């Protein structure tokens, strides 16, 4: 199972923001879209960061309510680990576990083309296991 397969069902829309937007605006996006992270894009649409709910919690814990008026660029993670459409679900699970994050933007030819979360990965992994179990049960029933 690869990332392209997940995106073909989930869709390729990604909620993005810009580095000069405020943390409050980003938090509003997360709340209104019901998501856990926004990808931060530069003027040409290139990925320059990611801001997740954890970054916002950290910003608030350190700076109090004043952090809400600060720019996204101050609190985002700038070194983003991305996936490719051909990346496997196993690779994503291993990468997310190793780095302890739950979101991976998908980039193809330098362009943002989707986002996969840990929820998407677990859903597909469970489906893979169920398909495997079903095949095994059928094999056992017919031998
Ligand atoms: P998350 O678990 O996705 O809420 O993110 C936990 C931390 O990892 C936050 O500081 C995020 O900015 C950062 N982060 C999330 N996804 C990525 C990613 N794909 N590459 C690099 N950092 C990330």
């Amino acid at each position: 199972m690869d990332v392209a397969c997940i995106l073909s069902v989930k869709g390729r829309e990604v909620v993005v923001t810009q580095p000069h937007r405020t943390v409050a605006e980003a938090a509003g996006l997360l709340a209104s879209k019901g998501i856990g992270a926004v990808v931060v894009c530069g003027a040409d649409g290139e990925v320059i960061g990611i801001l997740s709910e954890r970054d916002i919690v950290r910003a608030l814990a350190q700076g109090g309510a004043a952090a809400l008026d600060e720019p996204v660029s101050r609190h985002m993670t700038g070194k983003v680990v991305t996936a490719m459409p051909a990346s496997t679900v196993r690779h994503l699970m291993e990468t997310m576990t190793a780095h302890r994050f739950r979101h991976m933007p998908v980039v193809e030819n330098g362009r943002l083309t989707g986002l996969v979360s840990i929820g998407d990965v677990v859903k597909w992994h469970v489906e893979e296991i169920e398909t495997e179990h079903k095949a095994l049960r059928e094999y056992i029933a017919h031998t």
Side-chain angles (χ1 to χ4, degrees), residues 55-74:
D55 298 314
I56 296 176
V57 167
R58 192 185 313 114
L60 289 171
Q62 289 171 352
L68 290 169
D69 296 325
E70 291 175 354
V72 160
S73 57
R74 184 171 297 180

Side-chain angles (χ1 to χ4, degrees), residues 39-136:
V39 177
V40 186
C41 289
D44 296 325
E46 75 279 21
V47 175
I48 60 170
I50 186 163
L51 184 87
S52 89
E53 52 202 0
R54 289 194 182 169
D55 298 314
I56 296 176
V57 167
R58 192 185 313 114
L60 289 171
Q62 289 171 352
L68 290 169
D69 296 325
E70 291 175 354
V72 160
S73 57
R74 184 171 297 180
H75 298 285
M76 69 185 193
T77 300
K79 198 173 173 206
V80 184
V81 181
T82 60
M84 294 178 296
S87 304
T88 62
V89 168
R90 174 169 290 278
H91 171 72
L92 263 64
M93 285 179 83
E94 287 170 356
T95 306
M96 287 185 187
T97 304
H99 292 274
R100 294 173 182 268
F101 53 55
R102 300 166 293 173
H103 302 88
M104 281 181 78
V106 184
V107 173
E108 188 173 27
N109 299 324
R111 306 293 305 172
L112 181 63
T113 180
L115 183 131
V116 178
S117 73
I118 191 75
D120 302 320
V121 168
V122 168
K123 177 176 178 284
W124 280 90
H125 192 56
V126 166
E127 279 174 22
E128 264 183 340
I129 291 170
E130 282 172 353
T131 305
E132 207 174 287
H133 280 189
K134 190 168 171 245
L136 275 174

Side-chain angles (χ1 to χ4, degrees), residues 7 10-16 33 112-115:
L7 294 182
K10 177 190 175 177
R12 292 173 179 271
E13 191 209 337
V14 186
V15 179
V16 301
K33 302 280 185 183
L112 181 63
T113 180
L115 183 131

